[in-house]
Amino acid sequence: MDSSIKLLLVLLISFELAFVQSIVVNILVIVLGMSYLLVKKVKLQKLLLLIIIPIIPVASTWSSFYVNGTGDFIHSAWLLSSRIYAYIILGGIFSFTTSINDLLSSLEQNWHVPSKFVYGTLGAFNFAPRVRNSMLQIKTAALMRGEVLHVWSPQIFFKAILLSLRWSDNLSRAMQSHGYAENNVRTHYRKQRIPAWNWVLFITIFGVFQFIVLKKLP
Amino acid sequence: MDKLAINDLTFSYTKDSDPVLDNLNLTIKNNTFNLLFGSSGSGKSTLMQIITGLVRTNLPNLGSGTILINGQSIETWTPKQFVQEVALLFQNPREQFSMSSVEDEFVFTLENIGMLPSKIDSSIRSALERVKMLDFRNRDIDGLSGGELQKISLAITLAMDSNFIILDEPFANVDSSSRKELILLLKELQIQDGKTILIADHDLSGYDHVYDNIFHLYHHQIAALPHPEKTLAYFQSDKDEFHFQIPAENQPGVLHFADFSLDAGSKVLLDQIQLEIPTGYRILLTGDNGTGKSTLFNAISHLHPYKGVLTYKNKEVQKYKTTKLSKEVSLIFQDAQIQFLKMTVSEEIELSLKHARFSEIWSPEFITKNLSLLNLIGFENHIVYQLSGGQKKKLQILEMLMLGNPLVLMDEPLAGLDIESVIQVLDMIKKVCELQKQSLIMISHQLVGTKNFFNYHLELKDKNLYFSERLDDGLFD
């Protein structure tokens, strides 16, 4: 499925989930989502992390409703904690099975998102691995001058801001030197068309979801 | 017809600052090989960015004059028009790539100039083939060396079909064998493909049989170099001029290596090294790009893990606390700016004075003397980030030497400095190191002007590190 359609579907379902008062619907989303991830052969280790990491916020949500809740507090406790997991699985579906490159080029070609935004974001993503390394370098460089910089030292932020200003300047020069301009008409080597079956699938899944929601399951 | 004609070009970066270029005139003929020579900070980069449209001169009050490429005024050109007529290769090739792989960068570029998708594949293939880099099509940018990246950059200009190729200090991050190869490739592109070439370089070695014109950028203007042969000859260093002693045994040592190994990822850089580095000398460290010279410096200063024994003053380096070690070993980073912590030159000097081991040496007179040796007098209240590349480097070296740490490691401190500055800097390093009894190890590809500066020469080759009498052939050929 095209990544932009997938994003749209995930966003719509998440938005609707916020208003649905049904534990069963949440569990359905979790089970179906997990099976999709398994079919897509996402590594088991990643799936386990997806379940383990949110345990603390889920448990605390559950217990705060259980202890302090009023009305049907047991239902609320299970509803809210299962909803967190449903959101996490939906997020996992999007982030584990699409690439940022595909999403951005689909947004550019199918949804006419400005290329400035698309390539700016892509460029920034390509810079990301250098950030960690640069922070270590900034700290060591200062240490070599006899000064210890801590995470809270204003100087470390100043240096980081200077560095990112330089990077943003470099990136725009780099893009311009390879012919990029905001209002250029660009061609597309790798076409990202949205096939018709994507829309059919999108409408089917979303339709079936409405049907389930309207059933007013507990 | 002239490829490029510049008439009375004047340009300054801000309304109130002095012009970087002042009434400059330059004509370059079609299909010629041209060199632009000038010291660091003379405005070479600015001129090249103006010609390629990265800096616009038609902003009110900042610039005046006319620039014609192929007889057309560039004033209203769009970035797409620029790259199809004139391409620029950056000093640091890593900064010219915005995508993460070679193919993606090609595709991005060719889509920008509106090439038909059906032609993109063959265009990438033939451009890479022309520079003999076809195997690199699917490689990630991150894993490539400076020389490889410059060849890819060159291939991109071929794919864009720009007829005029401008290179801004293109060899600053390239080792000498790749430098030679690239110069020959550029000459071939001029002769066989009819390209016009303009290279800005502060180092004229290796150009003696290839150039048509040398222009000198000096005092904001361009003049033909009066005696090009003389100037060129100055840069043709003879490797036989360099002859080093091998240190005598049983001297007191500053660093001691035993079964020392170093690797980067899966690549072994150094294997089972046994070596004693004597204390109190100036030592040159050479080796091809990517052999692990900088990683060795990082290992000595806690920035990279190592295996085996490495002792500094008879104590294992890994057993030092990092803060303690930083008071013994100074690492002078290649990027000068990263080492600045204050805003102005005098504040920077003050900070170093605070941590100076031999503060009695650094009297105001002695500091002034060194600042004037480095031509930094009058810049005391300047913002450090606004100094030129060469000035930043000189200030960084001075303030790091002021700390007086017994061992100083310098990573390519001379890259990008013009010959005058190299001589000033070496002179200062020598005096200061002798005064404070410091040991120095310096990585440097740039050896012009370093004669009689170094006591010994360490060579890193084939995963081995050893003292050597001569320079490796590859360095000068």
Side-chain angles (χ1 to χ4, degrees):
Chain A
M1 199 179 202
D2 181 86
S3 20
S4 63
I5 299 285
K6 204 182 278 178
L7 178 64
L8 185 66
L9 186 61
V10 163
L11 283 179
L12 281 176
I13 292 183
S14 315
F15 184 72
E16 207 173 343
L17 266 190
F19 300 99
V20 176
Q21 303 287 335
S22 161
I23 300 171
V24 178
V25 172
N26 288 346
I27 291 174
L28 256 173
V29 170
I30 295 169
V31 171
L32 291 174
M34 264 304 194
S35 0
Y36 177 73
L37 288 173
L38 286 170
V39 169
K40 281 280 170 183
K41 297 201 171 106
V42 174
K43 274 194 187 145
L44 231 61
Q45 202 188 354
K46 276 187 176 174
L47 292 183
L48 280 177
L49 282 178
L50 209 58
I51 297 169
I52 294 166
I53 290 175
I55 277 184
I56 294 176
V58 167
S60 54
T61 306
W62 188 89
S63 57
S64 64
F65 270 93
Y66 190 80
V67 174
N68 303 316
T70 49
D72 190 358
F73 60 88
I74 295 193
H75 181 262
S76 307
W78 286 111
L79 178 72
L80 266 294
S81 20
S82 61
R83 193 180 283 166
I84 294 179
Y85 265 116
Y87 279 148
I88 283 166
I89 300 293
L90 285 171
I93 288 177
F94 178 70
S95 55
F96 288 162
T97 64
T98 55
S99 81
I100 186 80
N101 280 27
D102 287 346
L103 174 66
L104 286 171
S105 50
S106 178
L107 287 177
E108 185 195 10
Q109 294 179 34
N110 299 311
W111 301 86
H112 305 288
V113 169
S115 63
K116 171 172 65 173
F117 173 80
V118 168
Y119 287 96
T121 312
L122 206 54
F125 263 93
N126 295 334
F127 265 105
R130 294 189 215 171
V131 173
R132 238 181 105 98
N133 198 16
S134 300
M135 290 312 274
L136 182 66
Q137 271 199 332
I138 290 174
K139 277 186 174 172
T140 316
L143 195 61
M144 289 294 168
R145 296 279 318 274
E147 294 281 297
V148 182
L149 294 188
H150 299 285
V151 194
W152 58 85
S153 312
Q155 268 148 330
I156 209 164
F157 289 101
F158 177 68
K159 302 294 291 189
I161 290 168
L162 270 184
L163 206 63
S164 46
L165 284 177
R166 194 162 69 177
W167 279 349
S168 90
D169 222 37
N170 283 348
L171 184 60
S172 79
R173 274 194 333 133
M175 288 168 65
Q176 205 185 331
S177 80
H178 281 168
Y180 177 80
E182 267 176 52
N183 308 317
N184 256 4
V185 178
R186 308 181 75 253
T187 50
H188 299 292
Y189 178 55
R190 298 185 192 96
K191 288 269 180 326
Q192 296 269 355
R193 286 232 178 74
I194 300 178
W197 68 264
N198 272 200
W199 284 111
V200 174
L201 190 62
F202 172 83
I203 292 166
T204 315
I205 295 177
F206 196 61
V208 170
F209 186 67
Q210 302 313 309
F211 180 73
I212 297 171
V213 167
L214 289 175
K215 281 226 134 190
K216 297 220 180 287
L217 295 165
Chain B
M1 196 187 10
D2 294 334
K3 192 80 207 169
L4 172 73
I6 301 180
N7 287 309
D8 296 328
L9 175 66
T10 298
F11 177 77
S12 43
Y13 275 102
T14 56
K15 250 188 209 175
D16 313 312
S17 60
D18 293 336
V20 185
L21 307 171
D22 194 1
N23 268 307
L24 178 145
N25 290 287
L26 173 67
T27 307
I28 285 178
K29 297 241 176 311
N30 206 357
N31 195 13
T32 49
F33 195 109
N34 305 277
L35 297 173
L36 178 63
F37 173 63
S39 52
S40 48
S42 62
K44 299 192 296 289
S45 292
T46 306
L47 177 61
M48 303 203 132
Q49 293 188 18
I50 289 173
I51 301 172
T52 50
L54 293 178
V55 168
R56 304 305 287 249
T57 54
N58 48 357
L59 301 165
N61 305 320
L62 297 185
S64 64
T66 58
I67 302 172
L68 307 178
I69 291 179
N70 293 330
Q72 295 172 23
S73 168
I74 64 169
E75 205 163 302
T76 55
W77 279 11
T78 62
K80 185 172 148 186
Q81 276 172 297
F82 269 107
V83 296
Q84 287 176 312
E85 293 295 339
V86 46
L88 176 68
L89 259 68
F90 291 5
Q91 176 168 357
N92 182 352
R94 248 163 253 286
E95 290 181 355
Q96 194 155 15
F97 291 83
S98 40
M99 300 293 124
S100 58
S101 80
V102 171
E103 189 183 71
D104 285 353
E105 189 70 33
F106 264 99
V107 169
F108 170 67
T109 309
L110 297 176
E111 285 178 349
N112 286 337
I113 61 168
M115 184 179 277
L116 287 174
S118 55
K119 289 192 176 156
I120 287 183
D121 182 60
S122 61
S123 169
I124 298 176
R125 192 193 307 272
S126 66
L128 283 172
E129 219 157 29
R130 186 72 186 82
V131 300
K132 301 190 182 72
M133 297 286 282
L134 203 52
D135 299 345
F136 285 73
R137 179 164 174 163
N138 296 313
R139 293 278 291 275
D140 276 349
I141 302 293
D142 269 349
L144 304 185
S145 74
E148 288 163 349
L149 284 174
Q150 286 297 33
K151 276 195 236 170
I152 301 287
S153 277
L154 208 56
I156 289 177
T157 69
L158 298 179
M160 291 191 289
D161 203 24
S162 337
N163 250 314
F164 186 14
I165 304 176
I166 297 189
L167 304 97
D168 182 8
E169 298 272 356
F171 309 120
N173 296 287
V174 167
D175 60 53
S176 49
S177 56
S178 307
R179 175 192 169 99
K180 193 187 161 201
E181 199 184 331
L182 276 160
I183 292 178
L184 287 177
L185 180 61
L186 286 164
K187 186 67 191 171
E188 209 181 285
L189 290 174
Q190 180 220 338
I191 302 285
Q192 293 176 6
D193 303 39
K195 307 278 181 192
T196 308
I197 312 280
L198 173 63
I199 306 178
D201 209 333
H202 66 279
D203 170 5
L204 291 180
S205 60
Y207 291 114
D208 34 349
H209 299 300
V210 297
Y211 75 96
D212 294 311
N213 305 293
I214 301 184
F215 301 101
H216 190 198
L217 184 53
Y218 185 67
H219 285 303
H220 321 294
Q221 296 194 336
I222 280 184
L225 211 55
H227 304 290
E229 305 78 23
K230 248 191 195 167
T231 315
L232 276 169
Y234 186 78
F235 285 95
Q236 308 310 314
S237 320
D238 184 355
K239 68 168 188 273
D240 296 328
E241 273 180 30
F242 288 89
H243 185 87
F244 303 93
Q245 303 287 318
I246 300 291
E249 282 179 33
N250 302 325
Q251 295 192 65
V254 60
L255 287 173
H256 169 76
F257 299 81
D259 299 326
F260 176 86
S261 298
L262 196 60
D263 40 45
S266 55
K267 191 177 169 194
V268 178
L269 297 171
L270 285 172
D271 192 25
Q272 302 281 322
I273 303 300
Q274 324 288 337
L275 185 75
E276 184 85 29
I277 296 183
T279 187
Y281 293 103
R282 294 181 297 277
I283 297 168
L284 171 67
L285 172 57
T286 64
D288 272 337
N289 272 9
T291 47
K293 304 184 297 294
S294 300
T295 316
L296 175 65
F297 276 9
N298 287 343
I300 301 172
S301 38
H302 279 189
L303 278 172
H304 195 94
Y306 62 84
K307 285 181 222 122
V309 175
L310 168 60
T311 61
Y312 166 78
K313 287 187 173 168
N314 300 320
K315 183 176 164 186
E316 185 67 43
V317 165
Q318 271 163 349
K319 293 205 173 124
Y320 279 88
K321 277 193 177 155
T322 308
T323 39
K324 181 92 185 10
L325 188 71
S326 70
K327 294 190 168 42
E328 296 288 334
V329 180
S330 285
L331 174 60
I332 303 195
F333 281 62
Q334 230 171 326
D335 174 11
Q337 193 163 303
I338 200 171
Q339 229 143 8
F340 295 148
L341 290 167
K342 299 283 178 190
M343 290 310 284
T344 65
V345 175
S346 53
E347 286 169 358
E348 279 286 320
I349 300 277
E350 233 167 78
L351 177 68
S352 280
L353 205 53
K354 193 177 113 191
H355 297 292
R357 185 184 278 247
F358 304 100
S359 47
E360 67 282 0
I361 297 179
W362 297 95
S363 61
E365 296 77 38
F366 190 62
I367 293 174
T368 311
K369 199 180 134 201
N370 280 295
L371 283 175
S372 85
L373 182 67
L374 298 176
N375 278 338
L376 284 172
I377 289 288
F379 288 93
E380 290 87 344
N381 295 318
H382 277 57
I383 305 290
V384 285
Y385 298 100
Q386 289 172 351
L387 298 174
S388 78
Q391 289 170 328
K392 282 180 193 161
K393 195 77 220 174
K394 289 192 260 187
L395 175 64
Q396 178 205 17
I397 294 175
L398 172 64
E399 60 190 27
M400 291 300 290
L401 285 175
M402 283 177 73
L403 297 179
N405 284 354
L407 176 60
V408 181
L409 309 173
M410 295 189 180
D411 194 349
E412 297 285 1
L414 310 177
L417 291 183
D418 54 83
I419 188 74
E420 234 172 284
S421 305
V422 167
I423 291 166
Q424 296 161 358
V425 163
L426 291 179
D427 190 30
M428 178 191 75
I429 296 175
K430 192 170 179 173
K431 281 185 187 139
V432 171
C433 281
E434 275 170 9
L435 214 53
Q436 305 187 121
K437 298 195 170 49
Q438 291 167 292
S439 309
L440 165 73
I441 306 178
M442 184 192 289
I443 299 173
S444 188
H445 278 117
Q446 127 74 45
L447 295 171
V448 176
T450 64
K451 211 182 154 192
N452 299 328
F453 176 80
F454 294 107
N455 305 105
Y456 301 121
H457 167 223
L458 267 177
E459 187 169 335
L460 201 168
K461 198 180 178 183
D462 302 330
K463 298 172 194 170
N464 202 355
L465 181 67
Y466 49 88
F467 282 105
S468 161
E469 293 184 317
R470 303 201 162 267
L471 290 170
D472 190 44
D473 287 345
L475 280 170
F476 277 122
D477 282 354

